[in-house]
Amino acid sequence: MPWLTEFLHRRVYDASGSAIGRVSDVLASRAKYPRISGFEIRRGRSEPAFVPWEQISVKGKRISTDAADAGIAPPPGQISLKIDLLDRQIVDTDGARVVRVNDLLLQESSAGIRVVGAEVGMAGALRQLGIERPVRQIADTLGYQINDNLIAWNYVAPFEGRKGDVRLTVPNRILKELHPSELADILDQLDVERRESILRMMTAAELAETLPEAEPSVTREAVQLLSDQRTRTVLELMPPDEAADLLGDIGYERAERLLSLMGVKEASMLRELLGYPPDTAGGRMTPSFVAVDRGATAGEAIETIRRSAREAETINYAYVLDEAGALVGVLSLRGLLRSPPDRPVLEIMQRDVVSVTVDDDQETAGRTISRYNLLAVPVVEADGQMKGIITVDDIVEVMEEEASEDLGEVAGVYVGQGHGLTSGRLAGFGISLAGGVLAAVLLRTQRPLLASIAAMAWLLPPYLRMTQDLGTWSLARSLASSTLHPRRQMDVLAYEMLAALAGAAVTGGLVWGIGHILTGSASAALLMGIGIFVGTLAASLIGLGLPSVLRALKLHGLLARGRPLQVIVGLSGLVIYVWVLGSLAGRI
């Protein structure tokens, strides 16, 4: 079975054996499996000439034609495989992903040669570059195998080409049948032009299901494409918490304009949600929950659940409220179904309700759901009035966000998307550079000292590396324990102090042994080991105590910036190391 790249740029010979040009493109008819209609052959810089497939002979790697006069017009409505498909983005509707076509698989049939698959892996890219064979040989020698990554053509949906005349070969309904999260993943990967082509053909209901799963930048772009009336319809079809998130992303003026088009009840609900900070329980909750009057019976509660099922976020729990809307108990659906219809809910409900307040951090809600194995947790005001619920699926998203933020804080890197990806990286680089310059200045001021103890100079690179590693580890543990109960936090810090002491002792012992071998002096090696022990232990303790010091000084903003904290720990460790060297210099 040939590949498209095996035809491109190949010489073409006439009946007499003379070269008449090279294959510049392959044309195919529009069909479920496009059928090759002919080659475009170019000689030098002249315009390519079309030769029908029926007048082409392919024997091995030799392409020839018996066309007496190459240059007839190609049939109308042809697809250019090179221009329109090769190196183009396509949607793999089976794997729900966006991929790039590196090659096309062709296969002979009774009706001619057709496109039957798209190669989206490394093998196709190597064929395009003409280096597939040597790279495969090298890979085989090293024990690696380069496999073809082929997608059957009936699972591929190519988008409009550069000429704007290539239609979807797979019906749009296939894209619409994808799960909203899968379609959102595809939208996130597409460029603006191709993304718009899908967004414009989606219904309001489909947009309401898909946009909450997409990246915020994609959501904003989609809303910009929609009219205010259609956007209002999409918002009304969304769960309230997701609609509030969307409004919070599109700017104040547009959000106010959309709210003015909505009903008083819906607009009031969304305004209230928008009033809470997005990283709090109030900002994460949805007001769509099943509320049951405290005077109801089990049968009446089940009927309330039945009526509220369409709009409620979950029906696993029903919440019993008093006349003022305060939470007094919670009912499980299982408990209701197992109770007689005439039994009062006050006798069935669980009175000791686990809840969070609207001002609690979203991590608190996540830990509450995880600790008590809940499917949803109620969110209440300080006076006990119930405002909404947070479901477990929202908490999964919260945990993913918090994990990314924690990684960024500890590593000192920006892990988000958008313009901050570049600016955050540049800022982190600048902070590291500034810290390095300060360290260089510090070492420069201590040149006489360092020159007098040249025997210890070899220690500086490993010491700086160990100080950074041990200090950052302690810093990370200290930051992570800040959300624990005070007693548990003290246990963690005590354990980390013991671990730092053990790590410093082992490091100092290793340096003593290696130093003894390199210098031949037991006393000098001992002093080296002591210096490393003191310096690394101090760096670890600084990493453990620095967050508490910053909190006491009300410098909470600095706690969310991992890179400056690392620089502080590293410079502090370097200062201590130089001081230790100075104190021990006269004894070597």
Side-chain angles (χ1 to χ4, degrees), residues 292-301 318-323 326-331 336 339-352:
V292 176
D293 185 79
R294 64 183 300 171
T297 63
E300 292 171 342
Y319 300 93
V320 182
L321 309 181
D322 62 15
E323 294 77 7
L327 178 65
V328 297
V330 61
L331 298 164
L336 286 173
S339 301
D342 58 348
R343 188 176 181 184
V345 296
L346 292 177
E347 299 179 5
I348 308 171
M349 70 179 188
Q350 179 181 341
R351 297 179 181 274
D352 187 15

Side-chain angles (χ1 to χ4, degrees), residues 180-199:
S181 62
E182 295 177 333
L183 186 52
D185 288 340
I186 290 175
L187 292 175
D188 293 341
Q189 299 173 63
L190 291 174
D191 57 33
V192 175
E193 180 181 356
R194 292 173 174 81
R195 189 183 298 135
E196 287 184 8
S197 66
I198 290 184
L199 292 173

Side-chain angles (χ1 to χ4, degrees), residues 214-228:
E215 291 292 332
S217 60
V218 176
T219 302
R220 288 192 295 269
E221 179 185 317
V223 173
Q224 290 175 357
L225 292 174
L226 304 178
S227 65
D228 287 350

Side-chain angles (χ1 to χ4, degrees), residues 140-349:
D140 291 340
T141 303
L142 297 175
Y144 294 97
Q145 188 174 5
I146 300 177
N147 297 317
D148 291 320
N149 189 358
L150 190 67
I151 300 175
W153 196 253
N154 58 308
Y155 286 125
V156 173
F159 285 88
E160 295 186 0
R162 296 186 181 96
K163 296 179 181 180
D165 59 357
V166 179
R167 306 303 180 191
L168 291 172
T169 60
V170 175
N172 294 343
R173 62 177 176 80
I174 294 182
L175 293 176
K176 294 183 178 181
E177 289 172 359
L178 294 175
H179 189 275
S181 62
E182 295 177 333
L183 186 52
D185 288 340
I186 290 175
L187 292 175
D188 293 341
Q189 299 173 63
L190 291 174
D191 57 33
V192 175
E193 180 181 356
R194 292 173 174 81
R195 189 183 298 135
E196 287 184 8
S197 66
I198 290 184
L199 292 173
R200 292 186 184 280
M201 70 183 184
M202 294 176 66
T203 65
E206 292 165 348
L207 288 169
E209 292 181 340
T210 304
L211 292 184
E213 306 290 340
E215 291 292 332
S217 60
V218 176
T219 302
R220 288 192 295 269
E221 179 185 317
V223 173
Q224 290 175 357
L225 292 174
L226 304 178
S227 65
D228 287 350
Q229 291 295 337
R230 194 174 185 213
T231 304
R232 184 206 66 184
T233 303
V234 172
L235 290 172
E236 290 175 344
L237 293 173
M238 282 184 177
D241 56 330
E242 295 175 351
D245 291 340
L246 188 150
L247 287 172
D249 287 336
I250 63 176
Y252 176 78
E253 293 184 2
R254 182 81 189 278
E256 283 296 321
R257 190 163 67 247
L258 292 171
L259 287 171
S260 66
L261 297 175
M262 303 178 70
V264 176
K265 181 179 179 181
E266 292 81 2
S268 176
M269 181 189 302
L270 293 178
R271 289 182 192 277
E272 182 177 4
L273 291 177
L274 288 169
Y276 297 108
D279 57 351
T280 63
R284 281 288 179 180
M285 72 179 180
T286 174
S288 300
F289 61 91
V290 180
V292 176
D293 185 79
R294 64 183 300 171
T297 63
E300 292 171 342
I302 292 175
E303 183 60 31
T304 300
I305 293 175
R306 183 179 292 110
R307 290 195 306 266
S308 307
R310 177 173 296 182
E311 297 181 357
E313 184 77 8
T314 179
I315 60 172
N316 292 289
Y317 303 120
Y319 300 93
V320 182
L321 309 181
D322 62 15
E323 294 77 7
L327 178 65
V328 297
V330 61
L331 298 164
S332 69
L333 183 59
R334 174 184 295 181
L336 286 173
L337 294 176
R338 296 175 59 181
S339 301
D342 58 348
R343 188 176 181 184
V345 296
L346 292 177
E347 299 179 5
I348 308 171
M349 70 179 188

Side-chain angles (χ1 to χ4, degrees), residues 14 17 26 37 50 74 161 181 212 290 333 368 374 394 396 532 553:
D14 60 14
V26 178
S37 58
F50 175 76
S181 62
V290 180
L333 183 59
T368 301
L374 302 174
D394 293 325
V396 170
I532 290 292
L553 297 176

